[in-house]
Amino acid sequence: MASDRPLLISSPETPRAVEDLPTIPIYTDLAKSGSENPKLASAMDSNNPLGNSANTEPTLNSYFQRSNSSIKSRASRGNSVREVSFDNSGTKPPRHGSRGAESDGFSMSQRELSDEDARLIYINDPGKSNERYEFAGNTIRTGKYSILTFLPRNLFEQFHRLAYIYFLVIAILNQLPQLAVFGRTASILPLAFVLLVTAIKDAYEDWRRHRSDRVENNRTALVLGDEGFHEKEWKNICVGEIIKISANDTLPCDIVLLSTSDPTGVAYVQTINLDGESNLKTRYARQETISRMSQNERMSGLIKSEKPNRNIYGFQANMEIDGKRLSLGPSNIVLRGCEIKNTAWAIGVAVYCGRETKAMLNSSGAPSKRSRLESHMNTETIYLSGFLVSLCTIVSVLAAVWLRRHRHELDYLPFYRRKSYVDEGDPKNYKYYGWGWEIVFTFLMSVIVFQIMIPISLYISMELVRIGQAYFMIQDNKLYDEASHSRFQCRALNINEDLGQVKYVFSDKTGTLTENKMEFQCASIWGVDYSGGTTCIPGDGFSAQVDGQVWRPKMKVKVDPELERLSKIGKQTEEGKHIHDFFLALAACNTIVPMVVETPDPDVRLIDYQGESPDEQALVYAAAAYGFMLLERTSGHIVIDIHGERQRFDVLGLHEFDSDRKRMSVILGCPDNTVKVFIKGADTSMFSVIDKFSNMNIIRATEGHLHNFSSLGLRTLVVGMRDLNSSEFDQWKLAFENASTTLIGRAALLRKIASHIENNLTVLGASGIEDKLQQGVPEAIESLRMAGIKVWLLTGDKQETAISIGYSSKLLTGNMTQIIINNKSKESCKKSLEDAIVTSNKLMTQSGVAQNTEGTSGTAGTPVALIIDGTSLVYILDGELEEQLFQLARGCSVVLCCRVAPLQKAGIVALIKKRTEDMTLAIGDGANDVSMIQMADVGIGISGQEGRQAVMASDFAMGQFRFLVPLLLVHGHWNYQRMGYMILYNFYRNAVLVFVLFW
């Protein structure tokens, strides 16, 4: 249980506008095409951001990149279009873009709001908010059926099986007296039984969805009324109402923060249900609203926000309060499904409710999945029906010939007897309607007699076989996860055999391929590699004395004995000074929140480092293991225990990471009254801003170590620093204050200021972090690749993170040519795709020529890996460029899509489903993977640490990614083979019976 002692008064973010900036597409080598979609962030304005404690910029996602040095030699073989520079002069018109598509919903997040595009929300006045527009209520509905639509819709779905239509026709024909070969009731019962069983199964599944909806809609939240906050059911919450959320509560709708329990307005949220990440993220309330809510005033104001869209990473709005116009951005909104953590309470105003929330807009409805084998059986049914018609035609023609030949003998022929002699008087015809009708009735009766050509029992047999197959899969110990004690779950019985026909696997990264646990592995400091190899042993853990208690890090880190010894020397030697500065940078240059956790021993406390990025957590834990323990962080300072000596550093400024700089920096006022800038970032960006007079031997050694680290699949990071004199600091401070209070072009100005100060750096060293893969992932991917299955990685993480995991999981290999597409406009996307297709075709052509020259056989050419970001997919998945993306991706061995929204994942799956007959499989573990799982032919949920939304939406569920190999290559193979043999047996058996009757 966390202590009540607050250790963080987080710095509010420097204000930042959320507008797109001028961009110019240029063509660069592939090795340099590493930029990604910038993280949109907006922050709180302050009239004097440096004159008070609220002086630092917003929390950021730290940036880590696998070294590109191993790629550069191959990158020259192809070109890519990338989004590049921002014109600091601001003379060019901005290009608007977003991480989604308003074609259905993404293009709004970076535009300037107009009255036509905006929706007006009156704070604490839901009546007036809904007066002009009828906003959606907060009720959600995920069920497929209602009481009125269940029967027609379910029957419609079931009769997609053409055999059912066939048997329905047979049953109808058997109701006619002239054709009643079997009993009328007997002909209906088999079909009715099959339909009833399937309907009951579908009704039960949908009832569970409706039950979940009722539970969700009937949850309660605190809503501000005339007499204070009172409980109100979620389904009755309206846009404009003020809501209070307590710690560990889930957000009922999308809200803009107005105040929190923290005096600086910070709130920590967990977005596990949105993007699958369990790390804490920071959101902020504006200072102007914090003061109003703290004084218990009845707050009123107007929020002009963008229309609902699916972009979970972007938000743009303006708030008018007390005559002031304040800008709002992604850091001021908390989305439905998020949970408040480490914050006693938070108050916000509802801006999107129900189906208009970003979470619901990214949730596609539950689809109806049918086995590919059943679809093939529909085709076979048509063929067999045609064959059956041929047989019946032959029978009717022969009957016509027989009737014509024996037309004079029909009155007394045995077994026929046209005349009835039962009644006295002249005999009458007995069920004889003339020669023509007799032929028609003979044809129809033949259809009824030969109906077993298409066996209705086959569908019952298939269901029984699938039950047996599910039993084998569930009981397979090779699919049992000992860590979570979970067995394989078969949640959809009708697609078991599809597992053996999968051609494409679409996988999430975090929690699916990885355990989402970062581990510090090695460091290079001042040209010396301290990877240590086998000499690294688990350290006992550094501890600090605080108020008579022993504080130690919650997580232990492996330490290098030699590096640990040198870190204790301090600044007495040149080597010790560099090591000191390196670990000080790791402990200070981050936005980690130290939380004190109680233990059974009252004299011992554990420090749990919380933050948005698990990479930053790993670095801070590593610094603590080497004696640099972060104890406290407030808006204006941090406290670090350095080998038993507690030191306070003033945080004078913080420049967040962005995809142009690929760095973050913190400006510290040190105890010796010096001002230093500590910077960490990607190697390509850090080496471009080093001091020209630096020791080049150190630089070259560090680059070599980075190459070694990256070849091991580690996430690499370069650390540097520089000293600031008083004039440089004063100049930066003035420029920072001016940029922080600018409403238009704020992001560009802050980026320019950061670039000016992040220059002439001294490189301290580099670090290597392992994003720990799940057990057996590289071997599983290699096995799938050998089986001819293509694996695509779809993740919301940064591009460099995805590439790093691609190498460590063996998804990417050293002989692959990478094509990287990062664009911010439709035109540049089109040009980039055209260039990439030309490059890919050229590589395949060259590979084919080489193979012919060498006399080799096979189809394997130069493997190509396509890496594309979510911003580019915004324009590509609009429709016009989809075909070009498909043509490019089809020829690639691997496709990595990074920074993609949940619905974009589904769009990528649909791209393949629409244009090929290949079977697709999607696997994920978070709520952000639900749309992808439901879109694929086969959906698999990982029952991991990120909730059960993916499992609940999946067709199958299991504990580890590596289980895909026995599932697809063993069970899938046998399922398909057994089902295929059983279907063929039924068809041939019935064909024999029909031919006997025919003969």
Side-chain angles (χ1 to χ4, degrees), residues 14-17 19 44-46 49-50 57 655 731-754:
T14 22
R16 178 177 174 184
E19 66 271 1
M44 298 170 16
D45 284 3
S46 175
L50 289 174
E57 287 191 43
H655 287 287
Q731 183 181 4
W732 169 85
K733 180 178 179 180
L734 179 61
F736 188 79
E737 287 179 344
N738 294 333
S740 298
T741 54
T742 302
L743 292 178
I744 299 176
R746 181 186 307 147
L749 290 175
L750 290 174
R751 187 160 43 245
K752 181 179 180 180
I753 294 169

Side-chain angles (χ1 to χ4, degrees), residues 16-17 74 87 202 320 367 585 589 648 743 789 801 830 859 973-974 985:
R16 178 177 174 184
R74 305 187 303 273
D87 186 354
D202 293 341
E320 296 178 5
C589 191
R648 169 178 168 145
L743 292 178
I789 298 174
T801 302
K830 183 177 180 179
T859 58
H973 167 76
W974 284 111
Y985 165 75

